[in-house]
Amino acid sequence: IEANDHKQIKIVYTEVLKSDSGLVSYTYPLNTEKFSSAPIHSVSIKVDLASDQPLHSIYSPTHEVEITHVDANHAVIGYEANDVRPDTDFQLFFAPEKSDVSLKMLTYQTGDDDGYFLLLASPSLELKSKPEPKDVTFVLDTSGSMSEDNKLKQAKKALQFCLANLNGDDRFEVIRFATEPESLFGALTPADDKAVSQAEKFVSGLTPEGGTAIYDALNQAMALRPAKSGRPYVIIFLTDGEPTVGETNDDKIVAETNQAADEGTRIFCFGLGTDVNAQLLDRIAANTKAASDYVLPTEDIEVKVSNFFAKIRDPILSNVKLSFPDGVRVSKMYPQALPDLFKGDQLVLTGRYSGSGSGGCALQGDAGGLSQTFSAPVTFEKESVEQPFVPRLWASRRIAYLLDEIRLHGENSELKDEITGLARKFGLVTPYTAYLIMEDEQTRKVAEKNQILRDFAEDSPAQAVGGQIYSSLSKDKTGDEGVDLARGQNAMKYAMTPESAVSRSNTEFAKRLGVSADTVAALPPPGSPAAVANIVADASPAQAGARLVQYTQQAKYIAGRAFYLNGNQWIDSNVSEQNSNNEIKLKFGSPEYFDFAARHPEMEPYLSLGRNVRLFVAGTVYDIFDNSTPDNS
C-alpha cells in the first residue's frame, strides 16, 4: 500500500461449519477489544443464510439480532451498533431440516452439580396444517386520561390494524371501557368483512371520558369464552391507568383471572404511558401465561401493538407441554409457564437437569381442538463445556424470576442469598444485584483487597441510591418508577442473550434515575483520583446514580468465570466467594509467572485480561501484579 494511500481488501473464504445436536454453529471474530480499547464508531453484520432445507431455530446467544425470513429456506440476520467496544465474538446457530416443528438442545455440564440446558422449539414456515382459528377480544380503555398524548388516537389506529389482520376463520369482539364496559356485538362474532367493517366504524367513533373499570371490563371479556370451543382464546387489554371504578383491590382482580387461566385464556396487557399499575398488569399476564408490555409517552402505541399482533396472528399450538427422556430430571425452567406457539415464533427455554442420556423430547399441544405431539431425539450430556453461554442465560432469567418474587410478594433471606450468589458467579450486575453483592461482602466482612465491588463499597452516596432503589422494589407499582421497573424486569425475563438481559435492564434503570449514557461515559474511571474527588464534590442523587450505573459496567464473563475491574486490577469472583488466606504474589512477566502459566494452561483466558489479575486456583489466591502499570487508585 503506497504512502498516504487507501486500498480496499476483500477476503473470500470457505468454512465448514460444525453441527452440535443438529444445530449448525457459525462464529465471526468480533472481539476487537483485545486489540484496541477505543470504541468502534459503527459495527454491522449481515448474514445471508440460504439452505436447501427449511431453516429452523435461528438464534444468536451473543448479540441481539433482527431475523427476517425471506422464505422457508432463506433468512437474513442483521446486527448493528454504534460507539461500542466489541468484546464478544458473534455466534449464530441455525437448524436446517425438514420437520413441522424443530426441537434442538444445547447443554452445559461440568462437575457434580446439576447441568444446564437450552431448548429451541420452532414451527416451520411451511407447516402443512394451516394455523388454528382463534377467538380474540380487544379491550380498550377509553377513560378521560386517554385523551392525553394522543394515546386514544394511537390505540385506535393499532386496533384498526389488528382488525384488518384477523383471519377469516377467527371470531372476535371489541369492548371499550371507562366508568363501565360496553361491548360491540355482545358475543364473539365471525371475522367476515361486514363484522370487521362494523368494528372499524365502532373503534373510530370512540371518545375519552369517565373512570377506569378494569375489573368489570376483564370480567366481561373473560365471560365471552365459549365452553369447550377448542380454540385459543386471547384477550388484548390496553389501559393507561389503574382501577378507579368498581373493584380496585389488586389481589381480587388477579384472583378473578384464575379460572380463565385454567381454561387456557391468555390476557396480553399493554400499559399506555406511566400512570398504569404495572405490577397489576404483570401479575394478570403472568397468571394467564401471557405477557405484558409498556408504551412510554415517547413511543408509538400503534407500532408496538401492531408488531405484537402480527406475531400472534397464526397460532400453531396452545396449552403447550414438554416431556423429556427417562432418567433425566429437569427443574427451574424459564419461562416457567410455557407460552403458546405461533407461526414464525420460537421458544427459547432454559433450565437445569440432573442425570444424563439420550431419548425423545416431546412437545405436545392443542391444535384445532385436537392434541398434537412433535418429538425429536435429544441428548443430556454427562459432560459438556462448549457452550458456556447456556448457564449464564439461565442465571439471568432465574435472577429476574427471583427479583419478581421480591417485587410481587416481598423479600426473604433465601431469595436475596440466591440472587447474590448467581449475580456474583455469572457477572450479571444490575443496580439491584450490585447493591446485594456489596451488602453481602460487607456482611461477610470480606477483606477489602478481595472485594469484587470495592469501588462501589467506597462510594457512600451511590450506596444510598442503591439502597433506596432496592427498598422500593416491592413498593413501586405505578408511575415512572413502576413502569421502568416492569420494563427492566421483562427485559431480563425474556432476554435471548445474557448481555442483552443486563444491558436492557440497566438502560431502564438509568432512565428511571434520569441518567443518560453520555453522563455515565463522561465519568472518570472508578477508583481514580478524579473519581474519588467527584464523590466528595458531588454527592447529588443524580451523580450518585450515574456512578452506580457505571459500577455495573465493570464486570466481564470469560470462559465460565466472572471478573470485576477495580482500579486497574481484575478480581476473580471466586476470590470474594472463598475469601482465602492462602496467597501467592506473582510479578507479571517474571519466570515464576511463566511457570504458573505453563502449569495452568486453563488459566490462559483469565491471564489475557491484563497485567494485574487476582485469581483463585485450587484453594490459593494468585495476585498477579505489574509495578510498571499505572494504578487508577
Side-chain angles (χ1 to χ4, degrees):
I1 301 176
E2 295 79 6
N4 299 316
D5 197 6
H6 294 83
K7 290 288 175 70
Q8 184 178 29
I9 299 173
K10 182 178 181 180
I11 300 174
V12 179
Y13 64 96
T14 301
E15 178 183 356
V16 177
L17 302 182
K18 182 180 178 181
S19 178
D20 183 353
S21 302
L23 278 170
V24 180
S25 174
Y26 170 69
T27 299
Y28 179 81
L30 195 61
N31 183 359
T32 64
E33 191 179 57
K34 55 183 146 186
F35 305 114
S36 171
S37 61
I40 297 178
H41 175 64
S42 177
V43 178
S44 64
I45 291 178
K46 177 183 176 183
V47 180
D48 197 297
L49 185 58
S51 169
D52 58 358
Q53 295 189 50
L55 292 167
H56 291 264
S57 302
I58 301 173
Y59 171 67
S60 172
T62 56
H63 294 77
E64 282 197 272
V65 297
E66 180 182 18
I67 301 171
T68 303
H69 288 275
V70 180
D71 56 46
N73 294 42
H74 185 192
V76 176
I77 300 94
Y79 165 76
E80 288 188 7
N82 295 320
D83 299 319
V84 293
R85 295 180 175 88
D87 61 357
T88 305
D89 291 338
F90 176 85
Q91 192 173 14
L92 186 73
F93 289 95
F94 59 93
E97 63 173 328
K98 292 181 179 179
S99 62
D100 285 342
V101 175
S102 171
L103 293 171
K104 298 299 178 185
M105 180 174 289
L106 295 171
T107 60
Y108 185 93
Q109 169 65 291
T110 179
D112 298 326
D113 199 6
D114 286 355
Y116 304 83
F117 73 89
L118 179 143
L119 180 72
L120 300 173
S122 60
S124 169
L125 291 175
E126 291 186 334
L127 196 63
K128 296 179 181 63
S129 59
K130 68 177 184 177
E132 279 195 89
K134 61 183 179 295
D135 292 338
V136 186
T137 296
F138 303 98
V139 183
L140 176 61
D141 184 347
T142 60
S143 59
S145 58
M146 285 288 288
S147 62
E148 302 168 4
D149 301 318
N150 285 323
K151 282 184 284 192
L152 185 57
K153 183 178 179 181
Q154 288 187 45
K156 286 161 65 172
K157 286 184 177 180
L159 282 196
Q160 302 281 11
F161 172 88
C162 296
L163 291 168
N165 281 273
L166 288 166
N167 295 325
D169 293 334
D170 293 341
R171 297 181 301 199
F172 77 106
E173 172 65 297
V174 180
I175 297 175
R176 70 99 199 149
F177 75 95
T179 305
E180 70 285 317
E182 175 192 357
S183 61
L184 171 59
F185 300 112
L188 291 168
T189 301
D192 55 33
D193 292 343
K194 180 180 178 182
V196 169
S197 177
Q198 187 177 348
E200 289 173 341
K201 185 176 180 181
F202 175 76
V203 169
S204 66
L206 295 175
T207 57
E209 57 185 1
T212 310
I214 287 178
Y215 179 87
D216 293 339
L218 282 177
N219 257 340
Q220 192 170 114
M222 291 185 293
L224 290 172
R225 181 187 179 104
K228 300 180 181 179
S229 71
R231 292 177 172 227
Y233 183 47
V234 174
I235 297 173
I236 298 177
F237 183 70
L238 296 89
T239 181
D240 78 328
E242 52 184 320
T244 60
V245 176
E247 182 60 68
T248 59
N249 182 276
D250 290 6
D251 292 337
K252 291 183 179 180
I253 294 175
V254 174
E256 277 297 302
T257 67
N258 287 341
Q259 182 179 347
D262 292 340
E263 295 170 345
T265 297
R266 309 286 183 251
I267 305 177
F268 293 92
C269 299
F270 285 88
L272 314 180
T274 59
D275 293 328
V276 296
N277 186 335
Q279 199 175 105
L280 173 61
L281 298 188
D282 283 354
R283 291 175 65 188
I284 291 171
N287 201 41
T288 60
K289 299 183 182 180
S292 54
D293 203 353
Y294 299 89
V295 188
L296 299 181
T298 55
E299 297 176 324
D300 193 312
I301 299 170
E302 182 183 0
V303 170
K304 272 214 167 181
V305 176
S306 300
N307 287 344
F308 158 77
F309 190 75
K311 290 179 182 178
I312 69 157
R313 179 183 175 185
D314 298 324
I316 299 298
L317 286 176
S318 58
N319 300 318
V320 174
K321 298 176 183 176
L322 273 168
S323 61
F324 297 93
D326 294 337
V328 176
R329 184 180 65 84
V330 301
S331 61
K332 298 177 181 177
M333 295 189 296
Y334 302 100
Q336 274 197 317
L338 295 180
D340 297 339
L341 208 54
F342 300 91
K343 188 174 181 179
D345 195 10
Q346 180 168 253
L347 170 64
V348 179
L349 179 73
T350 62
R352 304 293 304 269
Y353 73 92
S354 60
S356 61
S358 300
C361 176
L363 179 75
Q364 181 183 357
D366 297 332
L370 301 175
S371 177
Q372 290 199 28
T373 301
F374 302 91
S375 61
V378 297
T379 299
F380 287 88
E381 301 286 356
K382 188 174 183 180
E383 184 172 347
S384 174
V385 295
E386 289 189 6
Q387 310 298 347
F389 73 87
V390 173
R392 195 164 184 241
L393 179 60
W394 172 84
S396 70
R397 292 186 174 187
R398 174 70 176 171
I399 288 172
Y401 165 76
L402 295 172
L403 284 173
D404 248 13
E405 285 295 297
I406 292 176
R407 180 168 74 107
L408 302 178
H409 308 295
E411 74 165 24
N412 60 57
S413 58
E414 289 82 6
L415 293 176
K416 289 175 63 176
D417 289 347
E418 187 175 356
I419 291 170
T420 303
L422 289 172
R424 176 172 46 231
K425 179 179 179 179
F426 291 102
L428 297 167
V429 187
T430 68
Y432 301 107
T433 60
Y435 178 78
L436 290 176
I437 292 172
M438 182 272 302
E439 184 182 57
D440 173 69
E441 290 186 335
Q442 292 182 344
T443 301
R444 290 190 293 115
K445 295 181 170 55
V446 175
E448 182 178 337
K449 63 182 179 180
N450 291 335
Q451 293 177 8
I452 59 176
L453 293 179
R454 188 170 62 223
D455 293 327
F456 181 31
E458 295 173 354
D459 189 339
S460 297
Q463 283 187 46
V465 172
Q468 291 169 4
I469 291 298
Y470 177 76
S471 66
S472 68
L473 191 62
S474 58
K475 300 175 184 176
D476 291 335
K477 296 183 179 182
T478 61
D480 294 346
E481 295 82 3
V483 170
D484 288 339
L485 175 56
R487 284 167 60 104
Q489 281 296 102
N490 283 343
M492 286 197 76
K493 282 190 292 188
Y494 304 115
M496 294 298 171
T497 72
E499 287 73 18
S500 66
V502 173
S503 63
R504 291 174 63 188
S505 177
N506 285 354
T507 297
E508 295 299 335
F509 178 86
K511 189 185 301 177
R512 173 178 181 175
L513 295 176
V515 175
S516 69
D518 291 340
T519 302
V520 176
L523 291 171
S528 66
V532 175
N534 187 42
I535 294 172
V536 176
D538 192 345
S540 66
Q543 272 294 303
R547 294 196 300 273
L548 175 52
V549 173
Q550 184 187 39
Y551 297 135
T552 69
Q553 301 171 352
Q554 303 300 106
K556 278 190 177 183
Y557 188 73
I558 301 175
R561 286 200 192 188
F563 286 79
Y564 296 81
L565 183 62
N566 290 270
N568 72 336
Q569 183 186 55
W570 287 99
I571 302 179
D572 181 353
S573 64
N574 291 302
V575 172
S576 166
E577 187 74 22
Q578 305 294 335
N579 206 19
S580 172
N581 292 321
N582 298 325
E583 182 171 325
I584 296 176
K585 283 186 170 290
L586 293 175
K587 189 176 187 310
F588 177 81
S590 66
E592 293 80 8
Y593 170 84
F594 286 112
D595 178 64
F596 170 80
R599 286 185 292 108
H600 296 282
E602 74 279 5
M603 295 294 111
E604 182 181 336
Y606 315 132
L607 295 177
S608 69
L609 280 167
R611 297 168 175 241
N612 294 274
V613 182
R614 199 165 173 80
L615 268 173
F616 184 81
V617 184
T620 300
V621 173
Y622 288 85
D623 190 353
I624 297 163
F625 68 97
D626 182 15
N627 291 335
S628 65
T629 305
D631 191 325
N632 287 335
S633 60

